[in-house]
Amino acid sequence: MLENMRGSGQSKTMWVIIGLLMVGLVGFGSGGLSNLTLRDVGTVGEEPIEVATYARGAQTAVQRMNLTSGRALSPSELRQSGAFERVLDAVVGQAALTNEVTTKGLSVGDDRVRTAVVNNPQFQGASGFDREAYEFYLDRQLGVTPAEFERIIRKETTRGILEDAVVGGVEGDVSATVALINFSAQERDFEWLAITEAMLTDPVAAPTDAEIAAYYEDFATDYQTPRTRNITYAWLDPAALSEEIEISEEELRDAYEAQGARYNAPERRALDRLVFPSLQDAEAARARIDSAETTFAQEVVARGLAVADISLGEAERRDLGATAADAIFAAEGPGIVGPVESTLGPALFRVNAILAADSTPFEEAREELRDELAGEAARRQVADIASRLQDLTAGGATIENLAEDTPMVLGKVEFNPDADDPIVAYEAFRTAALAAQEDDFPDIFDLDDGGVFALRLDGIVEPAAIPLEDVRDRVIADLVELDRLRKLTARAEELKAELDAGADPEDLSPLAEDDAAAATDTQFPTSDTPIWTL
């Protein structure tokens, strides 16, 4: 940051600029600043600090100091005052904020910038905003174009929003907080009545042929084939490669031995350990537990400990001292053991569970090990082949060429929501298939299981109507369900009118016993209007 002005460059670049400023400040701004040829003095992140920005700040500082002192200060007096260093710090801070708002994607609209410009008193004429005065001031006094000035205004306005947020903080809307509390904490007591087909006076009937045909025509888009993308692909699947890979007996046995803990888990105990300062303290605690005066858990609390402090998890013999291990593994079931000497001193152990040894012979583990080793080898093969595939596609190879020249498998799929080809299960394939264009060149894509694939879009088949005879059962089921819902809704409206008039839900008929729901005190956030689940 500020590599042009900080460190060793400060005495060169900055004072060159200051020297030019001295010339430009003659007469308090006569256009001399616009002749500077050095554009940027440094950057903060991606935000440049322009010479003009620094110069304007320096000019303002010099004018303020001259007015305060009542005379024009000399260049040496200005340097000794430290004014230029303060200006530098200020523009660096501004650039840091501007870089932050740019990084966050913050900005203000054109209307906000226009308002700031046209309402500036500097640019007002007899009848309001004076465009000529605006352009004259920018050109002669600031040495910038209108576009550059408006860019500065946009940055300063946006930066001000961030400054206000940082300094003033962001206060939450109290009304929103109250609304959320009311929503989550309110309770409603209500009765509800479930409406079933048993309560219909007009039962749901099978639709006629005319009704089926009319419904099919009215909802024709529901009975169309899906939009389908015809895809040709080449797939290099590690699982398929692994079936051809030979794993030697020696490799299998080495893998079995290397994973001894996995296939030959020793007997274990799920343990808690409570350590005492002395054997006498431990014996006294055990006596209290045996006489039911206290419990193990109460003794833990009395020692100022929590369960997490005493838990040993699943322990093997080797995790315990010899004396403690003999006593604990001699226990025939869960319970208290001890006191015995542990690695930390006299202790009581609580055995929570006994986990028997679990030994899997090599013969039983053989197939699992073979699949794992072959899978790893297959993934390495895929990685080795992938670089060759990239070269082939770069050389103009087609999908068919890839399948001919490599172990990739050629396939075709009608890609739509009903597709069940195994490769469609991969999200990477679905994403690539949806993005593919008919004139795309093949590319190699990675799959999350280590496989790779390439695809080509052969064409798109738009939705088409399915003949009524092929979807007749679906149409009948949909029509029956629609009729059922309409009649249940109509019946619910009738019953609601009776309930609003004061009727008791239990008195409404016909009402099967199984359909009546008893009134319940239920916490259910809702509006003040009574809700009936009908």
Side-chain angles (χ1 to χ4, degrees), residues 408-448:
M408 298 188 86
V409 175
L410 188 68
K412 290 182 177 293
V413 60
E414 294 180 353
F415 182 67
N416 58 49
D418 299 327
D420 58 359
D421 190 290
I423 198 170
V424 175
Y426 293 93
E427 182 179 356
F429 180 85
R430 298 194 299 271
T431 300
L434 289 172
Q437 302 295 321
E438 290 190 53
D439 56 352
D440 286 349
F441 290 101
D443 197 2
I444 303 300
F445 298 92
D446 295 325
L447 294 172
D448 54 15

Side-chain angles (χ1 to χ4, degrees), residues 93-152:
Q94 292 174 352
L97 288 173
T98 302
N99 179 72
E100 184 66 16
V101 300
T102 302
T103 302
K104 300 297 184 186
L106 304 178
S107 185
V108 295
D110 294 339
D111 290 343
R112 186 81 172 265
V113 175
R114 181 180 181 279
T115 301
V117 171
V118 300
N119 291 339
N120 192 321
Q122 187 74 38
F123 311 137
Q124 301 301 309
S127 58
F129 178 71
D130 188 335
R131 182 74 187 185
E132 291 184 359
Y134 171 61
E135 294 178 351
F136 178 84
Y137 180 83
L138 298 185
D139 180 52
R140 297 301 179 86
Q141 297 297 320
L142 299 182
V144 297
T145 65
E148 291 172 333
F149 181 73
E150 289 159 15
R151 178 172 57 83
I152 293 171

Side-chain angles (χ1 to χ4, degrees), residues 465-485:
I466 303 174
L468 175 58
E469 55 269 21
D470 294 339
V471 291
R472 183 179 180 84
D473 290 343
R474 278 179 54 196
V475 175
I476 291 174
D478 292 344
L479 188 53
V480 168
E481 178 63 15
L482 179 63
D483 187 40
R484 189 182 74 86
L485 290 176

Side-chain angles (χ1 to χ4, degrees), residues 135-181:
E135 294 178 351
F136 178 84
Y137 180 83
L138 298 185
D139 180 52
R140 297 301 179 86
Q141 297 297 320
L142 299 182
V144 297
T145 65
E148 291 172 333
F149 181 73
E150 289 159 15
R151 178 172 57 83
I152 293 171
I153 292 296
R154 192 185 306 276
K155 285 187 176 182
E156 290 180 347
T157 305
T158 307
R159 189 169 63 236
I161 294 174
L162 179 61
E163 289 175 331
D164 292 343
V166 172
V167 174
V170 179
E171 295 183 1
D173 187 347
V174 175
S175 61
T177 303
V178 172
L180 289 172
I181 292 174

Side-chain angles (χ1 to χ4, degrees), residues 22 86 114 153-154 256 268 289 295-296 303 312 339 395 399 405 481 530:
M22 294 301 101
R86 290 193 294 273
R114 181 180 181 279
I153 292 296
R154 192 185 306 276
Y256 179 78
R268 290 155 294 155
I289 294 173
T295 64
F296 186 86
R303 298 295 311 280
L312 294 182
I399 300 296
D405 299 337
E481 178 63 15

